[in-house]
Amino acid sequence: MNFVKIFDQEGMVMPTGRTTRVLVGDNGAVKGRYFCQGYVVIEPNGSIPLHNHEMEETYTVFSGKGVIRVGQEEREINGGNMVLIPPGEDHSLHNTGSEDMHMMFVYAPYQIADHWQEELANK
């Protein structure tokens, strides 16, 4: 059994105001075979910047509120909402609330998302 304590995992602190903990993936706590999963805490006014990739992805928001963009459509999103992001679609998430937003991403097929390294390189 691969048992992971989420907050014991070292997170990548991103310059756009979020900490990403990869739970399943090449650079995660557990190596998976078919998908990647991570837990993200986005600070107030922080974001996951606009990006795209060829993997299908879901964002599940557990707490907080914000605005999500998928393609050309923007919507408010808050705790208890999930969105499916089709492959190749531009997408972003911005925390518009006064508290941290807690969310999880899952994408497949399994690979490391290029936008993390690109974002870290542009600090």
Side-chain angles (χ1 to χ4, degrees), residues 13-19 40-47 95 100 119:
V13 178
M14 307 303 253
T16 56
R18 76 180 188 282
T19 300
V40 182
V41 178
I42 305 173
E43 301 166 6
N45 205 36
S47 69
N95 181 352
D100 287 348
E119 186 180 344

Side-chain angles (χ1 to χ4, degrees), residues 18 20 36 38-40 42 47-53 55-62 67-70 77-86 89-94 101-107 113 115-116 119:
R18 76 180 188 282
T20 299
C36 183
Y39 194 90
V40 182
I42 305 173
S47 69
I48 299 173
L50 188 66
H51 66 283
N52 67 58
H53 40 71
M55 297 88 77
E56 182 173 58
E57 184 170 25
T58 60
Y59 282 3
T60 304
V61 176
F62 298 111
V67 173
I68 187 162
R69 174 180 166 185
V70 177
I77 191 167
N78 53 46
N81 294 151
M82 187 276 298
V83 64
L84 174 67
I85 303 162
E89 285 284 341
D90 288 339
H91 55 285
S92 64
L93 179 60
H94 181 86
M101 174 185 283
H102 289 250
M103 59 86 68
M104 184 167 287
F105 66 84
V106 176
Y107 64 77
H115 74 94
W116 294 336
E119 186 180 344

Side-chain angles (χ1 to χ4, degrees), residues 1-2 6 16 24-26 28 36 45 53 56 68 71-72 80 82 87 89 96 99 110 118:
M1 175 187 312
N2 293 308
I6 294 171
T16 56
V24 178
D26 272 349
C36 183
N45 205 36
H53 40 71
E56 182 173 58
I68 187 162
Q72 297 301 312
M82 187 276 298
E89 285 284 341
T96 59
E99 298 180 6
Y110 170 76
E118 293 168 3

Side-chain angles (χ1 to χ4, degrees), residues 21 54 58 79 87 121:
R21 292 174 174 87
E54 291 306 312
T58 60

Side-chain angles (χ1 to χ4, degrees), residues 2-10 21 23 29:
N2 293 308
F3 187 85
V4 176
K5 291 185 175 185
I6 294 171
F7 294 104
D8 286 352
Q9 304 308 308
E10 184 174 341
R21 292 174 174 87
L23 305 176

